[in-house]
Amino acid sequence: MRMGRPPKRRRDAKQQQSQTQTANKPKFASPTLIVGQISPDVVSSILGPAMTDLAVQSVEDYADAVLAYEHVNQFAAEKGDEENEVEVEVEMDLDGNIQQQQHQTSPPPPSSQRLFSSQLDIENLTELLTSTSQHFSHTTNSWKVHANAAKFERL
């Protein structure tokens, strides 16, 4: 014990202090990253959260587009009830044929050919990401054996 003097700094105290001071994350870091700890599982730590966020955003955008489409159709139906008389433009050819131009009163429905358009699609994505992550982070590393064997295979 040192009477009247502050205690000496130990190496452990310096390391703990430097770890707590590094609060700045790298630019392209995983949201679950703890500075100083590196996760070898890139799929579940970096790609998984990013792809899930994009999928959720895509589903939300699609839901907003569907709701807007339904609102426009409902508004057009109410307006159509008020106006029973519908004016139609007609063109006549030189042969005397009448061609009627059809006007769409409502916009076309939003495309359902998106990659993610429902909650089921998001669940399938998370299942795919977890199975991929487990395949590459399995303790036996059988995928490395197959990858090394494929180097030496001949066509």
Side-chain angles (χ1 to χ4, degrees):
M1 187 161 123
R2 302 174 63 183
M3 304 270 300
R5 295 184 186 173
K8 288 185 177 180
R9 290 188 151 205
R10 306 279 181 196
R11 289 184 188 163
D12 294 340
K14 288 180 183 177
Q15 289 176 354
Q16 289 176 356
Q17 225 177 25
S18 66
Q19 286 178 355
T20 57
Q21 290 176 353
T22 56
N24 297 335
K25 286 189 176 182
K27 187 174 183 181
F28 297 107
S30 165
T32 59
L33 174 74
I34 299 172
V35 177
Q37 293 181 355
I38 298 173
S39 173
D41 192 6
V42 176
V43 174
S44 68
S45 64
I46 296 174
L47 297 177
M51 290 181 71
T52 305
D53 291 343
L54 287 173
V56 168
Q57 184 64 34
S58 174
V59 169
E60 289 174 356
D61 291 344
Y62 178 69
D64 289 341
V66 168
L67 287 175
Y69 173 72
E70 288 177 356
H71 179 70
V72 167
N73 279 345
Q74 183 181 10
F75 180 71
E78 290 173 1
K79 187 178 178 183
D81 290 341
E82 293 172 0
E83 299 175 2
N84 291 333
E85 297 179 13
V86 178
E87 294 182 10
V88 178
E89 293 183 14
V90 176
E91 288 186 4
M92 184 175 253
D93 285 343
L94 295 175
D95 298 336
N97 296 333
I98 298 175
Q99 293 182 350
Q100 181 178 357
Q101 294 180 352
Q102 297 180 356
H103 295 283
Q104 282 187 327
T105 57
S106 63
S111 173
S112 63
Q113 296 186 3
R114 298 177 185 221
L115 190 57
F116 305 106
S117 59
S118 68
Q119 187 65 31
L120 179 65
D121 295 335
I122 294 175
E123 292 171 2
N124 289 341
L125 173 70
T126 55
E127 181 181 335
L128 175 73
L129 289 172
T130 54
S131 66
T132 305
S133 173
Q134 288 174 355
H135 175 72
F136 287 114
S137 63
H138 197 268
T139 55
T140 60
N141 289 334
S142 61
W143 68 271
K144 285 185 181 179
V145 173
H146 293 295
N148 285 331
K151 288 181 190 176
F152 302 104
E153 284 184 7
R154 294 184 180 157
L155 298 176

